[in-house]
Amino acid sequence: MCIFFLGFAAVLLTVSGCSRFVGPAERPMPLAEEEWRAALGDRGRHWQKYTASFHLRADSAKGKYPLRAVVLADLPDRLRLEAFNLFGQTLGVIIYNKGESSLWVPSEKTLYTARKPEVLTQHFLGVSLPLNVLGYSLAASLPPEQLETFKLLSERSRWVGQSQARDDGWRYEWSFLSQPMTFKAFEARQGLWHYTVNYDPPVPLEVTESPRRIAFLSSDWQMDVTIDQIQTASHMWDDLFLPSFPGGVRRVSLDEHP
């Protein structure tokens, strides 16, 4: 028995002695900014045209309510959002088409217009969300033009990308994880406007990957989105981004009557 324990102890000492010569685990090399730019550029171009269906729950001044929605996106200039109740009835259709935006509400037989589409989302959902932020967020992608002013900073547990639009004053900050490369969250700011978008789980930057759950936050509202289906499209018909409604409807400009 003593011989057994002496032998066992010798094995432990040998293993322990060997472990002292093992060097520290090699850390992965930090990714260069060019690698991030390339991955983000590929993803932005891949998701410029897509269709998506999802569930959303909005918590705003209009109350808390669930909706189903379908988005047709032809970014950066065109986007159509159609919202349904849980019985499949259309509640509203918001269309942004090359600077013109409208909201068709069938139950009111009214077509609303506004210069800025976030005025329409505020009226309809109680959520003042620019449609370009929504369009790129649903695909977890960056507007390709944002890469012109893109800067990447390294922090302890994440990478932070920053960019500022040259023409409209929007400032963006993206949060990434690097092992593997994933898109975690971002913030958008313009003047007093401030939006935060979080992805659960973070979205890998491979172009074929897509979000599952997205939380949109501002100081006045929260909107939680669960993606049911999203896929790229090779072509979008022009008439999808033209308001379609019966004759004799009421027209209201929210720029004149907020």
Side-chain angles (χ1 to χ4, degrees):
M1 182 65 70
C2 290
I3 294 175
F4 172 80
F5 281 112
L6 287 173
F8 183 70
V11 171
L12 288 179
L13 288 172
T14 301
V15 172
S16 177
C18 291
S19 65
R20 287 198 299 267
F21 295 97
V22 176
E26 183 179 355
R27 295 183 178 181
M29 293 293 292
L31 297 169
E33 184 168 325
E34 290 73 17
E35 294 180 76
W36 289 99
R37 284 177 176 271
L40 294 169
D42 289 345
R43 186 171 182 86
R45 289 184 290 272
H46 182 80
W47 288 102
Q48 280 188 305
K49 290 181 173 64
Y50 70 84
T51 62
S53 61
F54 54 93
H55 287 72
L56 69 85
R57 183 174 182 84
D59 183 353
S60 67
K62 286 184 174 290
K64 299 180 180 180
Y65 49 89
L67 296 173
R68 292 174 51 240
V70 170
V71 157
L72 307 179
D74 185 7
L75 302 173
D77 296 322
R78 305 192 299 183
L79 187 141
R80 175 189 176 107
L81 167 67
E82 186 164 356
F84 309 88
N85 62 21
L86 299 183
F87 300 102
Q89 298 168 316
T90 298
L91 299 178
V93 181
I94 298 176
I95 294 177
Y96 177 74
N97 188 356
K98 298 180 179 179
E100 298 182 0
S101 53
S102 62
L103 163 64
W104 164 239
V105 181
S107 63
E108 301 177 12
K109 296 182 179 179
T110 301
L111 180 71
Y112 295 94
T113 60
R115 288 188 298 272
K116 294 184 177 181
E118 54 263 38
V119 173
L120 301 177
T121 62
Q122 173 67 45
H123 180 82
F124 181 53
L125 298 173
V127 170
S128 180
L129 183 65
L131 292 186
N132 63 329
V133 173
L134 176 65
Y136 285 104
S137 298
L138 291 176
S141 63
L142 274 66
E145 63 272 14
Q146 293 299 322
L147 293 176
E148 296 177 7
T149 58
F150 183 83
K151 295 180 180 179
L152 191 66
L153 306 173
S154 175
E155 295 188 354
R156 287 190 304 172
S157 59
R158 62 174 185 155
W159 291 82
V160 175
Q162 296 178 339
S163 178
Q164 181 167 346
R166 298 183 184 278
D167 54 350
D168 58 10
W170 279 97
R171 292 186 295 113
Y172 299 89
E173 181 174 290
W174 296 275
S175 178
F176 305 104
L177 303 176
S178 61
Q179 301 297 329
M181 299 170 73
T182 54
F183 192 175
K184 182 180 180 182
F186 84 93
E187 296 183 12
R189 297 176 182 268
Q190 184 195 54
L192 298 177
W193 302 99
H194 178 213
Y195 308 95
T196 301
V197 182
N198 293 289
Y199 295 97
D200 178 25
V203 184
L205 291 192
E206 288 86 352
V207 295
T208 55
E209 298 289 343
S210 58
R212 300 178 191 174
R213 293 178 297 277
I214 312 171
F216 296 82
L217 302 169
S218 83
S219 58
D220 301 319
W221 51 261
Q222 175 173 344
M223 188 170 73
D224 296 310
V225 170
T226 300
I227 302 292
D228 297 320
Q229 185 177 15
I230 183 170
Q231 60 185 13
T232 57
S234 59
H235 179 73
M236 291 283 181
W237 298 104
D238 291 341
D239 57 359
L240 294 173
F241 301 97
L242 298 175
S244 178
F245 47 85
V249 302
R250 185 169 66 109
R251 295 171 180 261
V252 175
S253 170
L254 295 180
D255 295 324
E256 300 172 2
H257 304 89

